[in-house]
Amino acid sequence: MSDFKTVLLAIDLSEEAVQVANKAHSLAKNSGASLHVIHVIEPLSFAYGGDIPMDFSGIQDEIQKQAKSQLSTFSAKYDISADCQHIVIGRPETEIHAVAEELNADLVVVGSHGRHGLALLLGSTANGVLHGAGCDVLAVRVEDN
Amino acid sequence: MSDFKTVLLAIDLSEEAVQVANKAHSLAKNSGASLHVIHVIEPLSFAYGGDIPMDFSGIQDEIQKQAKSQLSTFSAKYDISADCQHIVIGRPETEIHAVAEELNADLVVVGSHGRHGLALLLGSTANGVLHGAGCDVLAVRVEDN
């Protein structure tokens, strides 16, 4: 059987996420699969390199609270219930792989900008998710805004 | 509308191609999409670096003939008609992108080994196809034989 049973949609809560979510929703519906959604928040200490000791805990909590609220609003449009919404803090590729494994997902859907040049060298999230994924990965081509 | 209209399945004619083709066939069927298949033959001169002037044309013709026959047998299992079978000589990523564009495909399906290490540095075909693709790319995780 080639249909999917559990689809994990990874989104960044940008405007482009809708294009990716539409595809994931349609695929899950066609396959009769359950649809989960994950949003990964990168810790501020990652973004700032972690070499300056600062206390980001208050800001981090606020970011997490807002992300949760946005993910909830987003998920409602696709009938994704609260227990299928995952907010995780960490590196996107690592956390997406971990949750995919936990859910025994057979497909991860992620957005891809298809950019050349620097992004190719640095590796996009789609690229990172592709490598080391234990399941299929659909990279949805999104138009840059 | 999020369903696919034209799906391009890229295969290497290995035993693993069946796993990739099953997914592509199922997806195309579910979406009511037309299914095309492409197999790219890398010219022998690429494989040998091209620095020694040798005449490979006879061998190349034979490879092409055998590939065409194998692709035809393979395609029959998935009801892919002759005009939807594409044999191209060149670099896989480049040719897959070119044919996808020509067909106005909205999804390319390709196998992925999900290997780490060297393959990550050198870039797998799935990775190459992902970058620069003008449409969605589904990387189907295949088990190494």
Side-chain angles (χ1 to χ4, degrees), chain B residues 25-66:
Chain B
H25 184 252
S26 173
L27 265 177
K29 207 177 157 189
N30 283 342
S31 299
S34 62
L35 180 61
H36 288 250
V37 63
I38 181 171
H39 173 68
V40 183
I41 303 167
E42 285 194 81
L44 286 171
S45 57
F46 279 12
Y48 285 94
D51 48 356
I52 306 160
M54 288 176 75
D55 182 14
F56 289 125
S57 54
I59 310 167
Q60 190 77 56
D61 285 352
E62 183 56 31
I63 290 173
Q64 207 171 332
K65 204 177 132 191
Q66 288 193 21

Side-chain angles (χ1 to χ4, degrees), chain B residues 5-38:
Chain B
K5 288 182 188 71
T6 307
V7 176
L8 177 61
L9 160 66
I11 54 160
D12 61 2
L13 295 172
S14 71
E15 285 177 27
E16 299 155 358
V18 176
Q19 301 171 48
V20 188
N22 286 344
K23 285 277 169 64
H25 184 252
S26 173
L27 265 177
K29 207 177 157 189
N30 283 342
S31 299
S34 62
L35 180 61
H36 288 250
V37 63
I38 181 171

